[in-house]
Amino acid sequence: MAATFFGEVVKAPCRAGTEEEEEDEEERRETSEDREARRQLARKREVRLFRRQTKTSLEVALLEKYPCSKFIIAIGNNAVAFLSSFVMNSGVWEEVGCAKLWNEWCRTTDTTHLSPAEAFCVFYHLKSNPSRTQCPEQLGRQVRQMRCQAGEVFLCQCTCYVAEDQQYQWLEKVFGSCPRKNMQVTILTCRHVTDYKTSESTSSLHSPFLKALKTQNFKEPPCCSLLEQPNIAHDLPAAVLSYCQVWGIPAVLYLCYTDVMKLDLVTVEAFKPILSSRSWKGLVKNIPQSTEILKRLMTTNEIQSNIYT
Amino acid sequence: MKKEYLHTLQGTRDERLRRMSFVLRSLWNIQMDMSFGSWIHVSHSDGHLFQVEYAQEAVKKGSTAVGIRGTDIVVLGVEKKSVAKLQDERTVRKICALDDHVCMAFAGLTADARVVINRARVECQSHKLTVEDPVTVEYITRFIATLKQKYTQSNGRRPFGISALIVGFDDDGIPRLYQTDPSGTYHAWKANAIGRSAKTVREFLEKNYTEDAIANDNEAVKLAIRALLEVVQSGGKNIELAIIRRNQPLKMFSAKEIELQVTEIEKEKEEAEKKKSKKIA
């Protein structure tokens, strides 16, 4: 016990421990029911990878089964729309797996039949690219280029929320216990502009804008300016980047700060500077067609909602 | 309260019960006022009204609307929302007439806009019947702004999630453009934009709104379309335009007329670019 200046007697914290603490500890000791509940919760929150077509679970880590030189992860609606319109419209992409996970953010209570229809985490790899161009002379070179790239590009589209306790499981299931260092990881995600800390007035910020954060081993110059301190990355993008930094994998996170978090054309197009990066050459074939696909995606999405006009 | 409580102990049983229930109801109302009334529209310690700021965020989710005040014309242009195949396009409108000489475009929550428009229309007619004069643009804007302000200071209500651009001509023949926002403020403007990408459009207008640009009616219309084309992705197909000329009723442009204007603008752009490249060469 201690006395304050005003004569109050208060309980002072004691690091030595007291008898009262031992009593508290006994109360805190787990019963078998607590342990069972904890086990069930852990099982419910487990991250599982499976193939949707065969409904079989994948026992091996995805990148161990499908080694690649480029791994692109899109997290969030806008990043996923960007990849769907600009990268996946050319070439043949094969769906190789799907991550199934449940947490408090999931809207469904049925954890056995999670459908990736709305919030999903799906993995693709580039099978082949038989796309033709208008210039026949270039066709041979491009087919050769794409043949080299086929199977070397791995893509993840993730719109579901991966909770903190599930992030490491997700990383292990995707990257494996000993990931290869000779691949390049690119992560695309969005964040609300109100999370961006700056000494400038927020009204002067021209959102959406792109910022980059990279690992030590990423030598290529990023397509935009680096994220300044004290801004930080959050959630799954941060977990992937940290994982890559620890394992020495070259990785870059492109973070788009926007004032419209729902699917928005202007926000998706803010990712366009990435298309000019060296590592993405050959991945994007037909930008006008991509823009059309994007507009159709937007229109379909906009029609669903009548709340705002 | 103490006196009332003491009084409740006196009198017949019925009288006592009546007084006690009155005291309890008063206590309940006070508690409700203290707990709920202080929630919704109480300022934060740094002066923010969060509900109003949230309503302003809702405005940013609506598509862009632009208003321009010319010399003899007022123009309202909006980015049309995509309509589902089976949806009746007529029922999705961003530009609405409040009276013969006043019209309004909004951005934000559709349902809130419907309520505000209905109230404004009733007020326009009520004013005409009472005063035997049509409303001035400033009057109806002030009415809408006052209505919005009430909802920022009332118990159990939330602010209207819309911003509005109100245009029209007064009896004196002067064109007017006003803008209101969810906080209940209103200001007169020469040109302004609301909704998504409003900042981009406003910057365009600040650079391009000149006396030459509004020299005649056609130029003012073109300026509105050019401002919208900065942010509208699909070109003229997704633009809706309305104008009011002095002593004339509201006129909605058809899709063909808008397309013609867009074609003209694109031609002018090409010619300007050719001239530029010639100068450089």
Side-chain angles (χ1 to χ4, degrees):
Chain A
M1 305 301 261
T4 64
F5 178 79
F6 300 101
E8 281 176 83
V9 176
V10 295
K11 187 176 177 183
C14 175
R15 285 187 291 177
T18 61
E19 283 176 1
E20 289 171 351
E21 281 187 11
E22 280 172 11
E23 284 172 11
D24 290 340
E25 218 167 292
E26 272 181 28
E27 285 173 10
R28 267 185 257 131
R29 251 177 234 148
E30 279 188 341
T31 61
S32 58
E33 279 175 7
D34 290 335
R35 277 194 289 274
E36 184 54 35
R38 205 182 288 280
R39 234 179 277 129
Q40 278 185 8
L41 193 62
R43 221 175 297 138
K44 206 175 170 185
R45 295 176 74 82
E46 209 181 301
V47 176
R48 285 185 282 272
L49 289 184
F50 68 105
R51 284 198 75 120
R52 274 200 290 186
Q53 298 91 334
T54 56
K55 290 189 185 166
T56 51
S57 64
L58 293 166
E59 300 306 330
V60 182
L62 274 171
L63 288 177
E64 281 174 14
K65 197 171 178 188
Y66 301 98
C68 63
S69 59
K70 286 193 203 65
F71 182 23
I72 305 171
I73 311 173
I75 301 168
N77 288 335
N78 288 302
V80 164
F82 175 74
L83 279 194
S84 300
S85 318
F86 288 89
V87 177
M88 294 181 74
N89 70 330
S90 55
V92 177
W93 293 85
E94 186 196 0
E95 186 184 316
V96 296
C98 174
K100 184 168 132 175
L101 56 95
W102 178 88
N103 52 50
E104 294 75 20
W105 285 82
C106 285
R107 287 177 191 178
T108 176
T109 49
D110 181 4
T111 57
T112 52
H113 295 103
L114 278 174
S115 158
E118 283 184 14
F120 56 84
C121 183
V122 187
F123 298 88
Y124 303 89
H125 90 282
L126 183 64
K127 213 172 167 187
S128 65
N129 184 18
S131 63
R132 289 169 196 184
T133 61
Q134 289 175 354
C135 181
E137 297 90 60
Q138 289 176 356
L139 180 61
R141 185 172 41 141
Q142 284 192 347
V143 167
R144 275 198 300 277
Q145 198 177 23
M146 290 312 293
R147 274 183 189 153
C148 291
Q149 287 184 354
E152 288 188 3
V153 185
F154 203 73
L155 209 95
C156 170
Q157 291 187 319
C158 181
T159 57
C160 61
Y161 177 70
V162 182
E164 278 172 17
D165 57 313
Q166 295 171 316
Q167 281 162 13
Y168 189 71
Q169 277 188 65
W170 189 96
L171 288 165
E172 277 218 317
K173 296 260 159 95
V174 173
F175 284 88
S177 49
C178 199
R180 293 171 58 199
K181 293 185 178 57
N182 57 346
M183 71 171 159
Q184 186 173 290
V185 178
T186 310
I187 311 148
L188 311 177
T189 190
C190 282
R191 200 80 194 157
H192 202 275
V193 72
T194 47
D195 286 341
Y196 184 67
K197 296 172 185 60
T198 174
S199 53
E200 291 172 37
S201 159
T202 45
S203 56
S204 63
L205 289 173
H206 288 270
S207 61
F209 56 91
L210 215 55
K211 290 287 176 188
L213 201 56
K214 58 190 181 80
T215 61
Q216 209 167 5
N217 287 12
F218 186 82
K219 300 299 177 201
E220 210 182 294
C223 311
C224 57
S225 53
L226 292 175
L227 186 65
E228 308 92 347
Q229 287 194 0
N231 294 293
I232 57 171
H234 299 79
D235 303 327
L236 186 63
V240 174
L241 206 64
S242 308
Y243 189 86
C244 293
Q245 172 66 13
V246 164
W247 285 99
I249 302 169
V252 63
L253 162 65
Y254 288 108
L255 191 44
C256 177
Y257 284 98
T258 174
D259 48 8
V260 181
M261 285 306 286
K262 67 172 186 127
L263 197 59
D264 171 55
L265 190 67
V266 177
T267 306
V268 173
E269 291 197 331
F271 284 109
K272 267 185 170 171
I274 301 169
L275 301 175
S276 58
S277 71
R278 211 175 43 200
S279 55
W280 284 52
K281 267 188 191 146
L283 270 181
V284 181
K285 285 284 162 288
N286 198 342
I287 292 185
Q289 192 189 352
S290 308
T291 315
E292 279 309 309
I293 295 172
L294 184 60
K295 280 180 195 167
R296 254 180 276 140
L297 207 73
M298 293 296 150
T299 316
T300 320
N301 188 66
E302 266 179 18
I303 285 167
Q304 311 301 332
S305 166
N306 283 314
I307 300 174
Y308 302 100
T309 304
Chain B
M1 195 52 62
K2 200 178 174 184
K3 276 186 189 169
E4 283 161 0
Y5 179 68
L6 289 172
H7 284 148
T8 58
L9 298 177
Q10 297 161 6
T12 62
R13 183 174 174 272
D14 284 345
E15 281 169 5
R16 288 203 305 272
L17 278 172
R18 245 199 322 276
R19 279 197 291 267
M20 188 63 85
S21 75
F22 171 77
V23 166
L24 286 171
R25 258 181 293 141
S26 307
L27 280 170
W28 174 250
N29 285 338
I30 287 167
Q31 190 192 8
M32 292 293 278
D33 282 341
M34 279 169 64
S35 54
F36 290 103
S38 60
W39 282 3
I40 296 166
H41 303 296
V42 164
S43 305
H44 194 255
S45 57
D46 61 358
H48 282 274
L49 285 173
F50 283 119
Q51 286 298 316
V52 173
E53 291 183 16
Y54 299 157
Q56 282 167 343
E57 288 300 313
V59 171
K60 284 186 198 167
K61 290 182 164 37
S63 55
T64 319
V66 67
I68 292 183
R69 188 183 79 195
T71 324
D72 303 312
I73 192 173
V74 284
V75 187
L76 277 180
V78 300
E79 181 188 354
K80 254 194 324 197
K81 191 175 165 326
S82 313
V83 173
K85 224 176 177 179
L86 298 174
Q87 200 173 25
D88 190 345
E89 208 184 329
R90 289 182 307 120
T91 55
V92 182
R93 282 270 178 264
K94 264 174 86 78
I95 302 178
C96 308
L98 300 182
D99 204 343
D100 297 328
H101 62 296
V102 185
C103 78
M104 170 178 135
F106 64 90
L109 289 163
T110 322
D112 286 8
R114 189 186 66 237
V115 169
V116 168
I117 289 168
N118 285 346
R119 298 276 277 270
R121 283 172 171 167
V122 167
E123 179 62 20
C124 285
Q125 299 313 308
S126 167
H127 186 279
K128 213 184 265 186
L129 288 168
T130 320
V131 181
E132 293 185 357
D133 274 332
V135 294
T136 60
V137 184
E138 198 265 345
Y139 174 90
I140 196 64
T141 307
R142 192 165 9 102
F143 171 80
I144 291 172
T146 311
L147 175 67
K148 284 182 174 180
Q149 193 280 336
K150 277 191 195 148
Y151 278 67
T152 69
Q153 226 177 356
S154 295
N155 187 12
R157 293 173 175 181
R158 60 163 178 80
F160 286 102
I162 65 161
S163 278
L165 290 171
I166 302 155
V167 297
F169 278 83
D170 289 337
D171 269 347
D172 54 9
I174 298 177
R176 310 273 184 200
L177 165 64
Y178 287 92
Q179 186 238 341
T180 67
D181 68 13
S183 63
T185 53
Y186 72 96
H187 298 280
W189 291 78
K190 293 177 191 168
N192 199 5
I194 53 175
R196 186 168 43 207
S197 314
K199 209 192 279 180
T200 313
V201 177
R202 210 174 295 120
E203 280 167 6
F204 174 86
L205 290 170
E206 280 169 8
K207 281 184 204 151
N208 294 280
Y209 185 92
T210 56
E211 291 308 315
D212 292 332
I214 53 154
N216 60 53
D217 296 355
N218 202 34
E219 291 301 313
V221 167
K222 273 200 196 142
L223 181 63
I225 296 178
R226 275 166 51 213
L228 277 174
L229 287 173
E230 291 287 307
V231 295
V232 169
Q233 300 300 320
S234 331
K237 282 179 287 188
N238 276 13
I239 292 178
E240 207 170 73
L241 206 81
I243 60 166
I244 300 182
R245 290 194 169 99
R246 192 174 290 112
N247 298 323
Q248 289 183 34
L250 169 73
K251 184 193 172 210
M252 296 290 298
F253 271 44
S254 64
K256 264 190 191 167
E257 285 168 317
I258 296 172
E259 207 50 52
L260 276 166
Q261 295 281 355
V262 169
T263 318
E264 255 186 69
I265 288 166
E266 277 165 7
K267 262 191 206 161
E268 282 168 15
K269 237 184 191 173
E270 273 174 34
E271 277 165 21
E273 265 163 34
K274 273 183 193 165
K275 272 186 190 169
K276 234 184 185 177
S277 53
K278 272 184 188 169
K279 269 186 186 172
I280 294 166

